[in-house]
Amino acid sequence: MSFWDLPDKDETAANVDAFLKGQINRLARQAGCRLTDIASPDFSNPSVTRSRSNNVEEKIYKGLHAIEALQAIRYTMDKTYGLSPQILVKYYIQHEPVHAINRELLIDHDSFRKLKTKALCEFADCWNSTQEVFEWDDEDKLDLQVY
C-alpha cells in the first residue's frame, strides 16, 4: 500500500458503521453510563493511572477505559466537518431515526445516505490521529480505513 492510495469509501464507511454500532453500546454498558452523557474530553486534566489489585478495582479500571474509549469516539466525531459531527452524534449516540435527523438538519431524504457515508469516511480519517492524542498502545490501535 502506498501513501498515496485512497481508501475505498464504501467499504471504509461500512467498516466504520460496524465499528460504531458494535462498540458504542458495548462500551456504554461496560462504563455504566448513558451515551448522552458522553462528551469530548477535556485535555487540560491529565489522566490518572490506577493500580489493579482486586475485582472491584479491575471493574473500575475497565469502566474508566470504556469511558475513555467513548470519549475518543465522541472526540473523533467532533473532529469531522460540516454536518458530519451532527449526523454521527444523532445517529450513533442519540439513536435518532433518519427522518428526524433529516428534518432537524434540513437534509433531503435522498442526500442522507451520501452525507452519512461522507461522515463515516471522515471519522475513519480522524480516528488515527485520535488514537495518537489518547496515547494508546500500538496493540490497541485500530485502522478503520479499507483500501
Side-chain angles (χ1 to χ4, degrees):
M1 176 177 71
S2 166
F3 172 75
W4 301 107
D5 289 342
L6 294 174
D8 180 287
K9 70 176 187 176
D10 292 327
E11 288 191 34
T12 296
N15 193 36
V16 174
D17 180 66
F19 170 77
L20 293 174
K21 285 180 179 176
Q23 294 296 330
I24 288 178
N25 290 327
R26 181 188 73 83
L27 291 167
R29 284 190 305 272
Q30 204 171 28
C33 66
R34 294 180 319 178
L35 288 174
T36 53
D37 295 337
I38 299 299
S40 289
D42 177 10
F43 286 107
S44 62
N45 296 326
S47 62
V48 177
T49 305
R50 307 232 182 246
S51 63
R52 298 182 277 162
S53 62
N54 64 32
N55 281 344
V56 174
E57 287 181 6
E58 179 69 23
K59 286 180 183 179
I60 291 170
Y61 186 75
K62 283 183 178 181
L64 290 173
H65 277 292
I67 289 171
E68 180 184 58
L70 286 168
Q71 287 178 327
I73 289 170
R74 178 59 192 263
Y75 174 82
T76 306
M77 288 177 175
D78 290 342
K79 291 294 180 189
T80 60
Y81 309 101
L83 289 175
S84 296
Q86 295 173 61
I87 290 170
L88 293 170
V89 169
K90 290 177 182 305
Y91 189 80
Y92 292 99
I93 293 178
Q94 297 172 349
H95 299 293
E96 289 186 21
V98 173
H99 66 85
I101 297 170
N102 288 342
R103 185 176 54 246
E104 190 173 338
L105 299 180
L106 303 174
I107 298 172
D108 181 76
H109 174 73
D110 297 329
S111 299
F112 180 80
R113 185 168 186 252
K114 181 179 175 183
L115 290 170
K116 182 180 159 209
T117 297
K118 177 182 169 286
L120 292 169
C121 289
E122 289 175 7
F123 183 95
D125 287 341
C126 296
W127 183 245
N128 289 335
S129 63
T130 294
Q131 294 174 100
E132 294 298 325
V133 169
F134 279 80
E135 299 177 346
W136 289 341
D137 295 331
D138 286 340
E139 70 258 7
D140 292 330
K141 291 180 181 176
L142 176 66
D143 187 1
L144 295 173
Q145 294 176 322
V146 178
Y147 293 89

PDB file of all heavy atoms in Angstrom, residues 90-91 95-110 112-113:
ATOM      1  N   LYS A  90     -26.123  12.262  16.280  1.00  0.00           N
ATOM      2  CA  LYS A  90     -27.562  11.992  16.305  1.00  0.00           C
ATOM      3  C   LYS A  90     -27.872  10.537  15.935  1.00  0.00           C
ATOM      4  O   LYS A  90     -28.744   9.920  16.533  1.00  0.00           O
ATOM      5  CB  LYS A  90     -28.305  12.945  15.370  1.00  0.00           C
ATOM      6  CG  LYS A  90     -28.328  14.375  15.876  1.00  0.00           C
ATOM      7  CD  LYS A  90     -29.012  15.305  14.894  1.00  0.00           C
ATOM      8  CE  LYS A  90     -28.990  16.729  15.389  1.00  0.00           C
ATOM      9  NZ  LYS A  90     -29.544  16.919  16.709  1.00  0.00           N
ATOM     10  N   TYR A  91     -27.157   9.988  14.984  1.00  0.00           N
ATOM     11  CA  TYR A  91     -27.449   8.634  14.514  1.00  0.00           C
ATOM     12  C   TYR A  91     -26.876   7.556  15.443  1.00  0.00           C
ATOM     13  O   TYR A  91     -27.571   6.609  15.799  1.00  0.00           O
ATOM     14  CB  TYR A  91     -26.909   8.456  13.087  1.00  0.00           C
ATOM     15  CG  TYR A  91     -27.355   7.177  12.430  1.00  0.00           C
ATOM     16  CD1 TYR A  91     -28.619   7.071  11.859  1.00  0.00           C
ATOM     17  CD2 TYR A  91     -26.521   6.069  12.379  1.00  0.00           C
ATOM     18  CE1 TYR A  91     -29.041   5.892  11.255  1.00  0.00           C
ATOM     19  CE2 TYR A  91     -26.932   4.890  11.780  1.00  0.00           C
ATOM     20  CZ  TYR A  91     -28.191   4.814  11.215  1.00  0.00           C
ATOM     21  OH  TYR A  91     -28.592   3.634  10.631  1.00  0.00           O
ATOM     22  N   HIS A  95     -29.259   7.878  18.767  1.00  0.00           N
ATOM     23  CA  HIS A  95     -30.132   6.893  18.108  1.00  0.00           C
ATOM     24  C   HIS A  95     -31.417   7.520  17.558  1.00  0.00           C
ATOM     25  O   HIS A  95     -32.495   6.941  17.658  1.00  0.00           O
ATOM     26  CB  HIS A  95     -30.463   5.734  19.050  1.00  0.00           C
ATOM     27  CG  HIS A  95     -29.274   4.975  19.510  1.00  0.00           C
ATOM     28  ND1 HIS A  95     -28.487   4.216  18.673  1.00  0.00           N
ATOM     29  CD2 HIS A  95     -28.690   4.881  20.729  1.00  0.00           C
ATOM     30  CE1 HIS A  95     -27.498   3.677  19.344  1.00  0.00           C
ATOM     31  NE2 HIS A  95     -27.580   4.068  20.601  1.00  0.00           N
ATOM     32  N   GLU A  96     -31.272   8.705  16.978  1.00  0.00           N
ATOM     33  CA  GLU A  96     -32.423   9.357  16.362  1.00  0.00           C
ATOM     34  C   GLU A  96     -32.733   8.681  15.024  1.00  0.00           C
ATOM     35  O   GLU A  96     -31.817   8.279  14.307  1.00  0.00           O
ATOM     36  CB  GLU A  96     -32.150  10.847  16.126  1.00  0.00           C
ATOM     37  CG  GLU A  96     -32.108  11.653  17.395  1.00  0.00           C
ATOM     38  CD  GLU A  96     -31.988  13.152  17.131  1.00  0.00           C
ATOM     39  OE1 GLU A  96     -32.325  13.607  16.005  1.00  0.00           O
ATOM     40  OE2 GLU A  96     -31.556  13.857  18.042  1.00  0.00           O
ATOM     41  N   PRO A  97     -34.006   8.564  14.673  1.00  0.00           N
ATOM     42  CA  PRO A  97     -34.339   7.983  13.367  1.00  0.00           C
ATOM     43  C   PRO A  97     -33.921   8.927  12.235  1.00  0.00           C
ATOM     44  O   PRO A  97     -33.830  10.144  12.413  1.00  0.00           O
ATOM     45  CB  PRO A  97     -35.858   7.817  13.425  1.00  0.00           C
ATOM     46  CG  PRO A  97     -36.323   8.660  14.548  1.00  0.00           C
ATOM     47  CD  PRO A  97     -35.176   8.883  15.474  1.00  0.00           C
ATOM     48  N   VAL A  98     -33.692   8.344  11.077  1.00  0.00           N
ATOM     49  CA  VAL A  98     -33.209   9.101   9.919  1.00  0.00           C
ATOM     50  C   VAL A  98     -34.155  10.244   9.567  1.00  0.00           C
ATOM     51  O   VAL A  98     -33.704  11.368   9.300  1.00  0.00           O
ATOM     52  CB  VAL A  98     -32.991   8.160   8.711  1.00  0.00           C
ATOM     53  CG1 VAL A  98     -32.661   8.954   7.454  1.00  0.00           C
ATOM     54  CG2 VAL A  98     -31.900   7.149   9.013  1.00  0.00           C
ATOM     55  N   HIS A  99     -35.461   9.993   9.586  1.00  0.00           N
ATOM     56  CA  HIS A  99     -36.410  11.049   9.209  1.00  0.00           C
ATOM     57  C   HIS A  99     -36.324  12.238  10.166  1.00  0.00           C
ATOM     58  O   HIS A  99     -36.460  13.394   9.748  1.00  0.00           O
ATOM     59  CB  HIS A  99     -37.845  10.520   9.108  1.00  0.00           C
ATOM     60  CG  HIS A  99     -38.430  10.072  10.410  1.00  0.00           C
ATOM     61  ND1 HIS A  99     -39.043  10.935  11.286  1.00  0.00           N
ATOM     62  CD2 HIS A  99     -38.469   8.851  10.992  1.00  0.00           C
ATOM     63  CE1 HIS A  99     -39.455  10.260  12.355  1.00  0.00           C
ATOM     64  NE2 HIS A  99     -39.109   8.999  12.202  1.00  0.00           N
ATOM     65  N   ALA A 100     -36.062  11.993  11.445  1.00  0.00           N
ATOM     66  CA  ALA A 100     -35.928  13.092  12.406  1.00  0.00           C
ATOM     67  C   ALA A 100     -34.634  13.875  12.165  1.00  0.00           C
ATOM     68  O   ALA A 100     -34.615  15.105  12.269  1.00  0.00           O
ATOM     69  CB  ALA A 100     -35.960  12.551  13.833  1.00  0.00           C
ATOM     70  N   ILE A 101     -33.563  13.172  11.846  1.00  0.00           N
ATOM     71  CA  ILE A 101     -32.289  13.841  11.540  1.00  0.00           C
ATOM     72  C   ILE A 101     -32.446  14.691  10.284  1.00  0.00           C
ATOM     73  O   ILE A 101     -32.009  15.851  10.246  1.00  0.00           O
ATOM     74  CB  ILE A 101     -31.156  12.808  11.358  1.00  0.00           C
ATOM     75  CG1 ILE A 101     -30.915  12.045  12.661  1.00  0.00           C
ATOM     76  CG2 ILE A 101     -29.874  13.494  10.893  1.00  0.00           C
ATOM     77  CD1 ILE A 101     -29.990  10.847  12.514  1.00  0.00           C
ATOM     78  N   ASN A 102     -33.078  14.131   9.260  1.00  0.00           N
ATOM     79  CA  ASN A 102     -33.313  14.875   8.018  1.00  0.00           C
ATOM     80  C   ASN A 102     -34.097  16.158   8.284  1.00  0.00           C
ATOM     81  O   ASN A 102     -33.746  17.230   7.780  1.00  0.00           O
ATOM     82  CB  ASN A 102     -34.065  14.014   7.006  1.00  0.00           C
ATOM     83  CG  ASN A 102     -33.217  12.924   6.406  1.00  0.00           C
ATOM     84  OD1 ASN A 102     -31.997  12.974   6.457  1.00  0.00           O
ATOM     85  ND2 ASN A 102     -33.865  11.928   5.840  1.00  0.00           N
ATOM     86  N   ARG A 103     -35.142  16.039   9.078  1.00  0.00           N
ATOM     87  CA  ARG A 103     -35.992  17.201   9.374  1.00  0.00           C
ATOM     88  C   ARG A 103     -35.223  18.240  10.188  1.00  0.00           C
ATOM     89  O   ARG A 103     -35.247  19.426   9.872  1.00  0.00           O
ATOM     90  CB  ARG A 103     -37.247  16.746  10.127  1.00  0.00           C
ATOM     91  CG  ARG A 103     -38.246  17.864  10.370  1.00  0.00           C
ATOM     92  CD  ARG A 103     -39.538  17.408  11.039  1.00  0.00           C
ATOM     93  NE  ARG A 103     -39.273  16.688  12.282  1.00  0.00           N
ATOM     94  CZ  ARG A 103     -39.536  15.392  12.487  1.00  0.00           C
ATOM     95  NH1 ARG A 103     -40.076  14.664  11.531  1.00  0.00           N
ATOM     96  NH2 ARG A 103     -39.282  14.828  13.645  1.00  0.00           N
ATOM     97  N   GLU A 104     -34.493  17.787  11.202  1.00  0.00           N
ATOM     98  CA  GLU A 104     -33.779  18.711  12.079  1.00  0.00           C
ATOM     99  C   GLU A 104     -32.616  19.416  11.376  1.00  0.00           C
ATOM    100  O   GLU A 104     -32.371  20.602  11.595  1.00  0.00           O
ATOM    101  CB  GLU A 104     -33.257  17.953  13.302  1.00  0.00           C
ATOM    102  CG  GLU A 104     -32.705  18.854  14.378  1.00  0.00           C
ATOM    103  CD  GLU A 104     -32.350  18.091  15.637  1.00  0.00           C
ATOM    104  OE1 GLU A 104     -32.881  16.981  15.850  1.00  0.00           O
ATOM    105  OE2 GLU A 104     -31.531  18.614  16.392  1.00  0.00           O
ATOM    106  N   LEU A 105     -31.895  18.689  10.519  1.00  0.00           N
ATOM    107  CA  LEU A 105     -30.736  19.265   9.838  1.00  0.00           C
ATOM    108  C   LEU A 105     -31.060  19.789   8.439  1.00  0.00           C
ATOM    109  O   LEU A 105     -30.160  20.220   7.725  1.00  0.00           O
ATOM    110  CB  LEU A 105     -29.611  18.223   9.759  1.00  0.00           C
ATOM    111  CG  LEU A 105     -29.073  17.708  11.097  1.00  0.00           C
ATOM    112  CD1 LEU A 105     -27.973  16.675  10.865  1.00  0.00           C
ATOM    113  CD2 LEU A 105     -28.577  18.851  11.963  1.00  0.00           C
ATOM    114  N   LEU A 106     -32.341  19.728   8.079  1.00  0.00           N
ATOM    115  CA  LEU A 106     -32.804  20.183   6.768  1.00  0.00           C
ATOM    116  C   LEU A 106     -32.082  19.466   5.631  1.00  0.00           C
ATOM    117  O   LEU A 106     -31.593  20.072   4.675  1.00  0.00           O
ATOM    118  CB  LEU A 106     -32.646  21.703   6.635  1.00  0.00           C
ATOM    119  CG  LEU A 106     -33.352  22.544   7.708  1.00  0.00           C
ATOM    120  CD1 LEU A 106     -33.004  24.008   7.554  1.00  0.00           C
ATOM    121  CD2 LEU A 106     -34.851  22.317   7.671  1.00  0.00           C
ATOM    122  N   ILE A 107     -32.032  18.142   5.765  1.00  0.00           N
ATOM    123  CA  ILE A 107     -31.380  17.296   4.767  1.00  0.00           C
ATOM    124  C   ILE A 107     -32.457  16.649   3.912  1.00  0.00           C
ATOM    125  O   ILE A 107     -33.438  16.110   4.429  1.00  0.00           O
ATOM    126  CB  ILE A 107     -30.530  16.195   5.439  1.00  0.00           C
ATOM    127  CG1 ILE A 107     -29.408  16.818   6.268  1.00  0.00           C
ATOM    128  CG2 ILE A 107     -29.963  15.244   4.404  1.00  0.00           C
ATOM    129  CD1 ILE A 107     -28.659  15.802   7.113  1.00  0.00           C
ATOM    130  N   ASP A 108     -32.261  16.662   2.616  1.00  0.00           N
ATOM    131  CA  ASP A 108     -33.144  15.966   1.697  1.00  0.00           C
ATOM    132  C   ASP A 108     -33.041  14.467   1.961  1.00  0.00           C
ATOM    133  O   ASP A 108     -31.946  13.945   2.202  1.00  0.00           O
ATOM    134  CB  ASP A 108     -32.720  16.300   0.260  1.00  0.00           C
ATOM    135  CG  ASP A 108     -33.605  15.625  -0.752  1.00  0.00           C
ATOM    136  OD1 ASP A 108     -34.736  16.094  -0.958  1.00  0.00           O
ATOM    137  OD2 ASP A 108     -33.150  14.608  -1.333  1.00  0.00           O
ATOM    138  N   HIS A 109     -34.154  13.773   1.895  1.00  0.00           N
ATOM    139  CA  HIS A 109     -34.179  12.331   2.186  1.00  0.00           C
ATOM    140  C   HIS A 109     -33.148  11.561   1.356  1.00  0.00           C
ATOM    141  O   HIS A 109     -32.474  10.663   1.855  1.00  0.00           O
ATOM    142  CB  HIS A 109     -35.575  11.766   1.944  1.00  0.00           C
ATOM    143  CG  HIS A 109     -35.661  10.278   2.078  1.00  0.00           C
ATOM    144  ND1 HIS A 109     -35.608   9.654   3.301  1.00  0.00           N
ATOM    145  CD2 HIS A 109     -35.759   9.299   1.148  1.00  0.00           C
ATOM    146  CE1 HIS A 109     -35.670   8.337   3.112  1.00  0.00           C
ATOM    147  NE2 HIS A 109     -35.779   8.098   1.821  1.00  0.00           N
ATOM    148  N   ASP A 110     -33.022  11.906   0.098  1.00  0.00           N
ATOM    149  CA  ASP A 110     -32.096  11.199  -0.784  1.00  0.00           C
ATOM    150  C   ASP A 110     -30.629  11.512  -0.481  1.00  0.00           C
ATOM    151  O   ASP A 110     -29.749  10.762  -0.870  1.00  0.00           O
ATOM    152  CB  ASP A 110     -32.397  11.539  -2.250  1.00  0.00           C
ATOM    153  CG  ASP A 110     -33.789  11.068  -2.664  1.00  0.00           C
ATOM    154  OD1 ASP A 110     -34.251  10.046  -2.120  1.00  0.00           O
ATOM    155  OD2 ASP A 110     -34.400  11.735  -3.516  1.00  0.00           O
ATOM    156  N   PHE A 112     -29.269  11.883   2.629  1.00  0.00           N
ATOM    157  CA  PHE A 112     -28.784  11.388   3.915  1.00  0.00           C
ATOM    158  C   PHE A 112     -27.734  10.289   3.762  1.00  0.00           C
ATOM    159  O   PHE A 112     -26.694  10.327   4.415  1.00  0.00           O
ATOM    160  CB  PHE A 112     -29.933  10.876   4.794  1.00  0.00           C
ATOM    161  CG  PHE A 112     -29.450  10.368   6.119  1.00  0.00           C
ATOM    162  CD1 PHE A 112     -29.156  11.245   7.149  1.00  0.00           C
ATOM    163  CD2 PHE A 112     -29.259   9.009   6.336  1.00  0.00           C
ATOM    164  CE1 PHE A 112     -28.687  10.786   8.369  1.00  0.00           C
ATOM    165  CE2 PHE A 112     -28.789   8.537   7.549  1.00  0.00           C
ATOM    166  CZ  PHE A 112     -28.506   9.433   8.565  1.00  0.00           C
ATOM    167  N   ARG A 113     -27.997   9.321   2.914  1.00  0.00           N
ATOM    168  CA  ARG A 113     -27.051   8.197   2.758  1.00  0.00           C
ATOM    169  C   ARG A 113     -25.679   8.696   2.307  1.00  0.00           C
ATOM    170  O   ARG A 113     -24.651   8.267   2.828  1.00  0.00           O
ATOM    171  CB  ARG A 113     -27.602   7.175   1.772  1.00  0.00           C
ATOM    172  CG  ARG A 113     -26.739   5.943   1.674  1.00  0.00           C
ATOM    173  CD  ARG A 113     -27.468   4.825   0.916  1.00  0.00           C
ATOM    174  NE  ARG A 113     -26.674   3.627   0.978  1.00  0.00           N
ATOM    175  CZ  ARG A 113     -26.012   3.136  -0.065  1.00  0.00           C
ATOM    176  NH1 ARG A 113     -26.061   3.724  -1.230  1.00  0.00           N
ATOM    177  NH2 ARG A 113     -25.311   2.029   0.068  1.00  0.00           N
TER     178      ARG A 113
END
